[in-house]
Amino acid sequence: MLILAFESSCDETAAAVVRAEGERLTVLSNIVATQIETHRLYGGVVPEIASRAHIEQISPITYEALAEAGVTLSEIDLVAVTAQPGLIGALLVAVNFAKSLAAANGIPLVGVDHIKGHIAASYLLEDAPKPPFIALALSGGHTSIYRVRSYTDYEIIGETRDDAIGESFDKIGRLIDIPYPAGRGFDALSLEGFVRATGDEGNYYHKYKKCDAYKNGNMPLPSPALADGSLDFSFSGLKTAAINLLHRYEQTGEELDRALFAARYTYEACEAVAKKAQAALAENEGYDLVVAGGVAANSHLRRRLAEVAAQSHRKLYIPSLALCGDNAAMIGAQGYYEFCAGKRDDSTLNASALDGIR
Ligand code: KG4
Ligand code: ZN
């Protein structure tokens, strides 16, 4: 079965062709037209500009995706499209495009939840996970933990009560002059900080808590993990404490060591996710761990979660870096399983800004 998939929920316009044979999914093409350079001028995504850019890009990247996959529209068996959550004007572009294309060519259509799509990126791994498993969705808008009971049945068991982890990296990163979106730059700067603080290029992470840079109390930052007993997070406290700390440096004129600061912030964020992942695995005996979303690209977090999984005697599945960020192949993967479960949409399909998994 060949699936043509679309994604336009935020600042990437994406089209992909995925081949599905039973539970073996293969990406034949995965085109992403990013708007990052445009939004960088404003330090964040401007919804109106995003929608207009999606309209310009969606048709050319569809031709590109089909050409790169070496297939024609007449060979496509299913059209899948992100229908929620995201920026409403942005979502509507791919939803309307996909609806028209499916209707005009008599192809079945399924609307897909973006977060389920991120998690479905792991189905594109050669050694793909099979539900049930625990999934962490870590992105610009989400910091959530799910019990994934089947390919289409999700239960939320933990989430952020306020800001998302990716958004917090972006906002704090901006304040220390890391270009938007700051996640990747934050990751690299933190590495510099960890290595400098510990003097160890390899095993820096665990040495960090014992080193002077951590212990001297210069940069007090709270954990975004809520107290034991809950799998929830609160990133607003960490973010506010970081902003106050940056103000203090500004006011006293003391020079901020950006790399040490970034390492400190990253450490708290990663430890919180590791702690809640560990607790979720402990509560769900035998479940493996899937990590998804743009922040799953974070090198420190990837290593830390590999340890958590190993200590809990579970397997860890994280998509390749190219499939962690927004793309349409992941939407194709989830669309396929929605279709297999009997889901069908038609020209009444609408987009929604709201989270669909409750
Ligand atoms: O999933 P995604 O591409 O879009 C949303 O659905 O939000 O996630 C984007 C987020 C941004 O906040 C970006 O800064 C963050 O993922 N990100 C990272 C890294 N690469 C991207 N955060 C931390 N470390 C990274 N290496
Ligand atoms: Zn996303």
Side-chain angles (χ1 to χ4, degrees):
M1 175 176 213
L2 287 175
I3 304 127
L4 174 61
F6 299 102
E7 151 68 36
S8 70
S9 66
C10 190
D11 57 354
E12 331 267 9
T13 325
V17 178
V18 174
R19 178 189 290 129
E21 294 152 308
E23 283 172 347
R24 209 185 123 84
L25 304 188
T26 314
V27 181
L28 301 186
S29 64
N30 193 19
I31 312 295
V32 180
T34 184
Q35 307 168 11
I36 283 178
E37 290 304 324
T38 312
H39 297 294
R40 188 166 279 161
L41 297 170
Y42 308 93
V45 180
V46 182
E48 177 68 21
I49 295 176
S51 306
R52 285 165 188 262
H54 287 311
I55 289 170
E56 282 168 18
Q57 291 297 334
I58 193 133
S59 188
I61 65 160
T62 303
Y63 285 114
E64 205 180 327
L66 290 167
E68 198 178 299
V71 301
T72 59
L73 205 47
S74 62
E75 295 172 81
I76 298 293
D77 303 295
L78 175 68
V79 172
V81 62
T82 305
Q84 66 183 88
L87 300 170
I88 188 69
L91 285 164
L92 280 167
V93 175
V95 165
N96 276 310
F97 189 85
K99 279 201 306 195
S100 314
L101 194 127
N105 294 280
I107 309 171
L109 170 75
V110 287
V112 173
D113 183 282
H114 181 79
I115 295 302
K116 287 185 180 173
H118 270 302
I119 293 163
S122 63
Y123 305 144
L124 299 165
L125 287 164
E126 208 148 292
D127 171 29
K130 279 193 186 129
F133 52 73
I134 295 297
L136 302 181
L138 309 170
S139 72
H142 286 77
T143 317
S144 309
I145 310 180
Y146 303 97
R147 191 181 288 126
V148 179
R149 295 202 199 95
S150 75
Y151 287 110
T152 52
D153 182 11
Y154 282 56
E155 181 191 355
I156 190 157
I157 56 173
E159 63 186 323
T160 180
R161 302 231 177 136
D162 37 59
D163 303 329
I165 184 168
E167 174 198 355
S168 102
F169 278 128
D170 291 340
K171 295 236 165 91
I172 299 302
R174 187 180 174 182
L175 296 176
I176 53 170
D177 300 324
I178 301 175
Y180 175 86
R184 233 169 106 188
F186 218 112
D187 190 343
L189 190 63
S190 304
L191 175 63
E192 194 187 316
F194 282 131
V195 170
R196 192 137 49 74
T198 58
D200 189 334
E201 283 186 21
N203 187 26
Y204 56 81
Y205 194 87
H206 290 296
K207 289 190 176 165
Y208 177 67
K209 205 161 180 182
K210 298 186 197 100
C211 77
D212 289 345
Y214 184 87
K215 288 197 300 190
N216 71 12
N218 257 353
M219 294 185 183
L221 290 177
S223 167
L226 290 193
D228 290 350
S230 157
L231 293 177
D232 286 353
F233 303 91
S234 165
F235 278 85
S236 72
L238 173 62
K239 211 172 80 178
T240 308
I243 292 169
N244 289 342
L245 191 127
L246 294 175
H247 281 163
R248 208 186 66 218
Y249 271 86
E250 228 172 74
Q251 281 160 359
T252 59
E254 193 187 334
E255 198 184 333
L256 174 79
D257 187 318
R258 292 165 67 248
L260 289 185
F261 170 78
R264 182 78 175 82
Y265 194 94
T266 297
Y267 187 77
E268 291 307 334
C270 291
E271 280 308 287
V273 173
K275 186 176 166 188
K276 296 304 179 192
Q278 200 159 25
L281 291 178
E283 285 173 22
N284 291 276
E285 196 45 54
Y287 281 45
D288 287 327
L289 181 63
V290 171
V291 186
V295 182
N298 187 276
S299 62
H300 315 290
L301 193 63
R302 288 172 88 96
R303 280 190 184 200
R304 185 71 180 93
L305 290 174
E307 269 174 20
V308 167
Q311 280 161 4
S312 309
H313 306 288
R314 313 296 171 86
K315 275 182 87 168
L316 173 70
Y317 299 90
I318 310 187
S320 65
L321 286 187
L323 291 172
C324 281
D326 290 347
N327 67 85
M330 67 185 199
I331 302 304
Q334 184 60 26
Y336 169 67
Y337 284 114
E338 299 285 349
F339 180 81
C340 292
K343 186 171 190 236
R344 302 288 184 274
D345 282 299
D346 57 23
S347 53
T348 60
L349 176 68
N350 204 352
S352 165
L354 303 178
D355 222 321
I357 315 173
R358 292 306 336 163

PDB file of all heavy atoms in Angstrom, residues 6 9 42 55 129 159 171 173 199 202 220 226 230 246 259 284 299 332-333 345 352 358:
ATOM      1  N   PHE A   6       0.769  14.448   4.315  1.00  0.00           N
ATOM      2  CA  PHE A   6       1.026  15.886   4.402  1.00  0.00           C
ATOM      3  C   PHE A   6       1.077  16.369   5.843  1.00  0.00           C
ATOM      4  O   PHE A   6       0.357  15.856   6.701  1.00  0.00           O
ATOM      5  CB  PHE A   6      -0.080  16.668   3.680  1.00  0.00           C
ATOM      6  CG  PHE A   6      -0.180  16.344   2.222  1.00  0.00           C
ATOM      7  CD1 PHE A   6      -1.178  15.491   1.762  1.00  0.00           C
ATOM      8  CD2 PHE A   6       0.727  16.854   1.314  1.00  0.00           C
ATOM      9  CE1 PHE A   6      -1.263  15.158   0.421  1.00  0.00           C
ATOM     10  CE2 PHE A   6       0.656  16.534  -0.032  1.00  0.00           C
ATOM     11  CZ  PHE A   6      -0.349  15.684  -0.486  1.00  0.00           C
ATOM     12  N   SER A   9       1.430  21.739  10.323  1.00  0.00           N
ATOM     13  CA  SER A   9       0.848  22.232  11.579  1.00  0.00           C
ATOM     14  C   SER A   9       1.566  23.438  12.168  1.00  0.00           C
ATOM     15  O   SER A   9       1.005  24.174  12.958  1.00  0.00           O
ATOM     16  CB  SER A   9       0.818  21.114  12.622  1.00  0.00           C
ATOM     17  OG  SER A   9       2.131  20.748  12.985  1.00  0.00           O
ATOM     18  N   TYR A  42      11.873  37.091  13.376  1.00  0.00           N
ATOM     19  CA  TYR A  42      10.937  37.545  14.413  1.00  0.00           C
ATOM     20  C   TYR A  42      11.163  36.836  15.753  1.00  0.00           C
ATOM     21  O   TYR A  42      10.448  37.088  16.718  1.00  0.00           O
ATOM     22  CB  TYR A  42       9.492  37.297  13.944  1.00  0.00           C
ATOM     23  CG  TYR A  42       9.222  37.884  12.581  1.00  0.00           C
ATOM     24  CD1 TYR A  42       9.380  37.111  11.434  1.00  0.00           C
ATOM     25  CD2 TYR A  42       8.866  39.222  12.432  1.00  0.00           C
ATOM     26  CE1 TYR A  42       9.172  37.643  10.171  1.00  0.00           C
ATOM     27  CE2 TYR A  42       8.655  39.765  11.171  1.00  0.00           C
ATOM     28  CZ  TYR A  42       8.807  38.976  10.054  1.00  0.00           C
ATOM     29  OH  TYR A  42       8.616  39.515   8.814  1.00  0.00           O
ATOM     30  N   ILE A  55       0.983  27.665   1.794  1.00  0.00           N
ATOM     31  CA  ILE A  55       0.232  27.710   0.531  1.00  0.00           C
ATOM     32  C   ILE A  55       1.201  27.717  -0.658  1.00  0.00           C
ATOM     33  O   ILE A  55       0.985  27.026  -1.660  1.00  0.00           O
ATOM     34  CB  ILE A  55      -0.708  28.944   0.513  1.00  0.00           C
ATOM     35  CG1 ILE A  55      -1.857  28.709   1.498  1.00  0.00           C
ATOM     36  CG2 ILE A  55      -1.234  29.223  -0.893  1.00  0.00           C
ATOM     37  CD1 ILE A  55      -2.729  29.925   1.768  1.00  0.00           C
ATOM     38  N   PRO A 129       8.998  -0.546  17.164  1.00  0.00           N
ATOM     39  CA  PRO A 129       8.266  -0.998  18.354  1.00  0.00           C
ATOM     40  C   PRO A 129       6.837  -1.408  18.006  1.00  0.00           C
ATOM     41  O   PRO A 129       6.309  -0.967  16.990  1.00  0.00           O
ATOM     42  CB  PRO A 129       8.240   0.256  19.229  1.00  0.00           C
ATOM     43  CG  PRO A 129       8.263   1.387  18.248  1.00  0.00           C
ATOM     44  CD  PRO A 129       9.101   0.915  17.082  1.00  0.00           C
ATOM     45  N   GLU A 159       1.832  14.964  31.840  1.00  0.00           N
ATOM     46  CA  GLU A 159       1.961  16.069  30.879  1.00  0.00           C
ATOM     47  C   GLU A 159       2.453  17.306  31.599  1.00  0.00           C
ATOM     48  O   GLU A 159       2.448  17.370  32.835  1.00  0.00           O
ATOM     49  CB  GLU A 159       0.620  16.364  30.207  1.00  0.00           C
ATOM     50  CG  GLU A 159      -0.461  16.825  31.169  1.00  0.00           C
ATOM     51  CD  GLU A 159      -1.820  16.963  30.504  1.00  0.00           C
ATOM     52  OE1 GLU A 159      -1.884  17.385  29.347  1.00  0.00           O
ATOM     53  OE2 GLU A 159      -2.818  16.647  31.168  1.00  0.00           O
ATOM     54  N   LYS A 171      12.675  29.734  24.276  1.00  0.00           N
ATOM     55  CA  LYS A 171      12.541  31.049  24.937  1.00  0.00           C
ATOM     56  C   LYS A 171      13.805  31.410  25.703  1.00  0.00           C
ATOM     57  O   LYS A 171      14.296  32.541  25.615  1.00  0.00           O
ATOM     58  CB  LYS A 171      11.344  31.036  25.902  1.00  0.00           C
ATOM     59  CG  LYS A 171      10.019  30.850  25.180  1.00  0.00           C
ATOM     60  CD  LYS A 171       9.037  31.968  25.494  1.00  0.00           C
ATOM     61  CE  LYS A 171       7.869  31.999  24.510  1.00  0.00           C
ATOM     62  NZ  LYS A 171       6.730  31.203  24.919  1.00  0.00           N
ATOM     63  N   GLY A 173      16.758  30.095  25.263  1.00  0.00           N
ATOM     64  CA  GLY A 173      17.836  30.178  24.270  1.00  0.00           C
ATOM     65  C   GLY A 173      17.897  31.557  23.634  1.00  0.00           C
ATOM     66  O   GLY A 173      18.973  32.127  23.425  1.00  0.00           O
ATOM     67  N   GLY A 199      35.592  18.601  32.789  1.00  0.00           N
ATOM     68  CA  GLY A 199      36.903  18.266  32.229  1.00  0.00           C
ATOM     69  C   GLY A 199      36.885  16.879  31.596  1.00  0.00           C
ATOM     70  O   GLY A 199      37.925  16.251  31.422  1.00  0.00           O
ATOM     71  N   GLY A 202      33.808  12.536  27.581  1.00  0.00           N
ATOM     72  CA  GLY A 202      32.984  11.352  27.367  1.00  0.00           C
ATOM     73  C   GLY A 202      31.903  11.209  28.420  1.00  0.00           C
ATOM     74  O   GLY A 202      30.719  11.427  28.155  1.00  0.00           O
ATOM     75  N   PRO A 220      21.286  28.646  40.751  1.00  0.00           N
ATOM     76  CA  PRO A 220      20.235  27.774  41.305  1.00  0.00           C
ATOM     77  C   PRO A 220      19.035  27.703  40.352  1.00  0.00           C
ATOM     78  O   PRO A 220      18.495  28.734  39.965  1.00  0.00           O
ATOM     79  CB  PRO A 220      19.856  28.481  42.610  1.00  0.00           C
ATOM     80  CG  PRO A 220      20.227  29.906  42.406  1.00  0.00           C
ATOM     81  CD  PRO A 220      21.350  29.955  41.418  1.00  0.00           C
ATOM     82  N   LEU A 226       7.318  17.462  38.667  1.00  0.00           N
ATOM     83  CA  LEU A 226       6.465  17.625  39.851  1.00  0.00           C
ATOM     84  C   LEU A 226       6.783  16.504  40.843  1.00  0.00           C
ATOM     85  O   LEU A 226       7.455  15.535  40.507  1.00  0.00           O
ATOM     86  CB  LEU A 226       4.994  17.615  39.458  1.00  0.00           C
ATOM     87  CG  LEU A 226       4.527  18.851  38.683  1.00  0.00           C
ATOM     88  CD1 LEU A 226       3.010  18.907  38.620  1.00  0.00           C
ATOM     89  CD2 LEU A 226       5.041  20.158  39.288  1.00  0.00           C
ATOM     90  N   SER A 230       3.246  11.859  40.824  1.00  0.00           N
ATOM     91  CA  SER A 230       2.638  12.414  39.611  1.00  0.00           C
ATOM     92  C   SER A 230       3.631  12.249  38.472  1.00  0.00           C
ATOM     93  O   SER A 230       4.846  12.272  38.692  1.00  0.00           O
ATOM     94  CB  SER A 230       2.336  13.890  39.835  1.00  0.00           C
ATOM     95  OG  SER A 230       2.254  14.567  38.596  1.00  0.00           O
ATOM     96  N   LEU A 246      19.132  35.329  34.860  1.00  0.00           N
ATOM     97  CA  LEU A 246      19.759  36.132  33.790  1.00  0.00           C
ATOM     98  C   LEU A 246      19.669  37.620  34.126  1.00  0.00           C
ATOM     99  O   LEU A 246      20.620  38.382  33.902  1.00  0.00           O
ATOM    100  CB  LEU A 246      19.103  35.828  32.435  1.00  0.00           C
ATOM    101  CG  LEU A 246      19.322  34.400  31.903  1.00  0.00           C
ATOM    102  CD1 LEU A 246      18.532  34.159  30.626  1.00  0.00           C
ATOM    103  CD2 LEU A 246      20.809  34.137  31.643  1.00  0.00           C
ATOM    104  N   ALA A 259      27.747  28.957  28.366  1.00  0.00           N
ATOM    105  CA  ALA A 259      27.840  27.494  28.218  1.00  0.00           C
ATOM    106  C   ALA A 259      27.522  26.788  29.549  1.00  0.00           C
ATOM    107  O   ALA A 259      26.788  25.794  29.573  1.00  0.00           O
ATOM    108  CB  ALA A 259      29.219  27.096  27.714  1.00  0.00           C
ATOM    109  N   ASN A 284       4.463   0.528  34.635  1.00  0.00           N
ATOM    110  CA  ASN A 284       3.933  -0.232  33.507  1.00  0.00           C
ATOM    111  C   ASN A 284       4.884  -1.372  33.157  1.00  0.00           C
ATOM    112  O   ASN A 284       5.652  -1.290  32.190  1.00  0.00           O
ATOM    113  CB  ASN A 284       3.713   0.703  32.308  1.00  0.00           C
ATOM    114  CG  ASN A 284       2.579   1.669  32.567  1.00  0.00           C
ATOM    115  OD1 ASN A 284       1.426   1.333  32.361  1.00  0.00           O
ATOM    116  ND2 ASN A 284       2.914   2.859  33.053  1.00  0.00           N
ATOM    117  N   SER A 299      20.938  15.512  22.318  1.00  0.00           N
ATOM    118  CA  SER A 299      21.957  14.461  22.480  1.00  0.00           C
ATOM    119  C   SER A 299      22.092  14.022  23.935  1.00  0.00           C
ATOM    120  O   SER A 299      22.281  12.841  24.215  1.00  0.00           O
ATOM    121  CB  SER A 299      23.308  14.949  21.962  1.00  0.00           C
ATOM    122  OG  SER A 299      23.749  16.064  22.705  1.00  0.00           O
ATOM    123  N   GLY A 332       2.287   9.735   7.568  1.00  0.00           N
ATOM    124  CA  GLY A 332       1.940   8.590   6.717  1.00  0.00           C
ATOM    125  C   GLY A 332       1.894   7.311   7.542  1.00  0.00           C
ATOM    126  O   GLY A 332       0.995   6.480   7.373  1.00  0.00           O
ATOM    127  N   ALA A 333       2.872   7.150   8.444  1.00  0.00           N
ATOM    128  CA  ALA A 333       2.939   5.941   9.270  1.00  0.00           C
ATOM    129  C   ALA A 333       1.698   5.836  10.154  1.00  0.00           C
ATOM    130  O   ALA A 333       1.034   4.790  10.217  1.00  0.00           O
ATOM    131  CB  ALA A 333       4.205   5.957  10.122  1.00  0.00           C
ATOM    132  N   ASP A 345     -11.914   9.475   6.619  1.00  0.00           N
ATOM    133  CA  ASP A 345     -12.431  10.834   6.648  1.00  0.00           C
ATOM    134  C   ASP A 345     -12.914  11.195   5.255  1.00  0.00           C
ATOM    135  O   ASP A 345     -12.602  10.514   4.278  1.00  0.00           O
ATOM    136  CB  ASP A 345     -11.343  11.803   7.128  1.00  0.00           C
ATOM    137  CG  ASP A 345     -11.173  11.737   8.641  1.00  0.00           C
ATOM    138  OD1 ASP A 345     -12.149  12.032   9.346  1.00  0.00           O
ATOM    139  OD2 ASP A 345     -10.088  11.363   9.114  1.00  0.00           O
ATOM    140  N   SER A 352      -8.176  21.229  13.744  1.00  0.00           N
ATOM    141  CA  SER A 352      -8.425  21.754  15.082  1.00  0.00           C
ATOM    142  C   SER A 352      -7.092  22.115  15.719  1.00  0.00           C
ATOM    143  O   SER A 352      -6.123  21.373  15.626  1.00  0.00           O
ATOM    144  CB  SER A 352      -9.145  20.699  15.930  1.00  0.00           C
ATOM    145  OG  SER A 352      -9.066  21.068  17.300  1.00  0.00           O
ATOM    146  N   ARG A 358      -6.799  13.011  24.989  1.00  0.00           N
ATOM    147  CA  ARG A 358      -7.081  13.389  26.390  1.00  0.00           C
ATOM    148  C   ARG A 358      -7.328  12.150  27.184  1.00  0.00           C
ATOM    149  O   ARG A 358      -7.782  11.157  26.700  1.00  0.00           O
ATOM    150  CB  ARG A 358      -8.305  14.308  26.512  1.00  0.00           C
ATOM    151  CG  ARG A 358      -8.215  15.687  25.956  1.00  0.00           C
ATOM    152  CD  ARG A 358      -7.073  16.588  26.385  1.00  0.00           C
ATOM    153  NE  ARG A 358      -6.463  16.294  27.666  1.00  0.00           N
ATOM    154  CZ  ARG A 358      -5.273  16.744  28.057  1.00  0.00           C
ATOM    155  NH1 ARG A 358      -4.524  17.452  27.273  1.00  0.00           N
ATOM    156  NH2 ARG A 358      -4.785  16.480  29.231  1.00  0.00           N
TER     157      ARG A 358
END
